Amino acid sequence: MTLSSTIRPRRAAAPAGTWQVEVRRDEGALIELAGELRDLYERSPEATPFQTHEWLSAWWGWYGIRGRLRLVLVRHRGRLVAAAPLMTAGRWGFPVLVPIADEQSDFTDFLLDPAYADGAVEHLARALHRMRGRCAVDLREVRPGSVVHQVAQRWPGRSWRMPASVCMELPCTGIDDVLARLPGRSAGKMRAKLRKIDVRGITVETVPPDAAGDAVAALLDLHARQWRNRPMNPEHTRERFRRHLAEAGAAMVREGRAAILQYRWDGRLVASDLVLIGHRFVGAYLYGAIPELRDSVDVTLMLLREDLALARARGRQAVNLLRGEEPYKLKWRPSRVQNQRIILGRAVPAPVFAGMALVRAGLAARRHHRPAPVPLPTRPGDDTPTPRVDVPQPREDAPRTAAPRGDAGSTGAAPAHGGTREGGQPGHG
């Protein structure tokens, strides 16, 4: 692991009086600030669907624990220009700050209006560094180009980077173009499988917003049937996950940030697919299908064709198959996108925590027969003096509202979501 440098801002930040920084701890903040957070998401081009207000607030309602919310807000002349939706947690006995919903999310990031990037990033980094009681900010799935990278560059203390999950992306083209990337014999087999799907008369339709909640419930029922008597992500069997996904999915469909595709055969619902729609890509998150369908058609190919069509219709650049390097993804010859785990140190135990993270990642890699991760290089230090920036001290508002919904005894951190659709299907499982 290597010590990262503090990168100086290109120009001095605006006078302190134009900036306000606060930390909201009360659960009501996510409801009170819903409009501002939605607006900031629309102005944050690097944000993914896992940073939408709909996703975060639904997760907090079913998993969150009273008193653990840390919503860090940066304003410029009263306008919200940056936000870090975090919560307190314990990892391996260390007190840390982690993103809300990180166990169910494929990408970790903050929200940032790029028009205010220089000042907002500087203020956000200083505010996070000055918060009390946590040894580090642990950001486990940081996508290339994320705002978190900018915060890490301006971080006043030590930081560590290490490889995290790998995601696979396909460019937003038609299925014929994807098949053209394959060897001739493989492409011919796939075209024959497409004709078989069409001959079967399987139809697909997009669920309207007013039916999205029921459609998520039907999807999860199909998902459970598909994996009955076989290993599956245990969190997907729990009521809190069902309620979180139904609430988040329905709200995101209404806002145009998700779509639910239902497949019918002779009028019978045989498969359903939840696709999250980001600024730059659509991500295949979760699907379910009756077991008999796999005996009749290539379900993977059927879903991929429609996901590509959806991405084109919404003007997105790619279809993201989300975390994992399974062979079924590699056969499409996708681009490999490497996430990073970024740990921002705040107190003396931070180096020990970062070392523990690297050791555990190495053990996991060995268990799954992958190369051991190594720390990623950081930029060399800059010897120029640090310009003084008057950053307002974060104000931690402490009023608390009613306890959040959730299972009794919830820890607020579910088992890892898994990263890929179980059984070698595109997206989450």
Side-chain angles (χ1 to χ4, degrees), residues 378-410:
T378 55
R379 297 180 61 173
D382 184 346
D383 294 328
T384 57
T386 305
R388 184 177 183 273
V389 179
D390 293 324
V391 179
Q393 183 70 24
R395 175 173 60 85
E396 298 202 18
D397 296 337
R400 296 178 179 178
T401 57
R405 302 183 304 274
D407 297 343
S410 169

Side-chain angles (χ1 to χ4, degrees), residues 40 43-45 79-83 111-118 120 147:
L40 180 56
R43 290 182 279 122
S44 301
R79 180 178 175 85
L80 185 64
V81 296
L111 298 174
L112 173 70
D113 184 338
Y116 302 86
D118 278 355
V147 175

Side-chain angles (χ1 to χ4, degrees), residues 103-128:
E103 296 288 357
Q104 270 71 49
S105 302
D106 284 72
F107 300 118
T108 296
D109 203 5
F110 301 145
L111 298 174
L112 173 70
D113 184 338
Y116 302 86
D118 278 355
V121 169
E122 183 75 15
H123 283 75
L124 184 59
R126 296 295 181 90
L128 289 171

Side-chain angles (χ1 to χ4, degrees), residues 213-243:
D214 292 339
V216 170
L219 185 157
L220 289 171
D221 288 340
L222 289 170
H223 186 72
R225 288 183 58 189
Q226 178 177 343
W227 298 108
R228 186 175 297 153
N229 300 323
R230 292 190 292 161
M232 67 175 286
N233 189 328
E235 189 62 22
H236 293 174
T237 66
R238 298 189 173 113
E239 185 63 19
R240 63 182 181 180
F241 179 78
R242 295 177 65 93
R243 292 180 180 272

Side-chain angles (χ1 to χ4, degrees), residues 168-172 178 181 304 308 317-319 321 332-334:
M168 298 294 180
E169 280 192 355
L170 287 167
C172 183
V178 172
R181 300 153 63 104
L304 180 60
L308 288 167
Q317 299 171 3
V319 170
L321 304 179
W332 305 118
R333 300 192 172 182

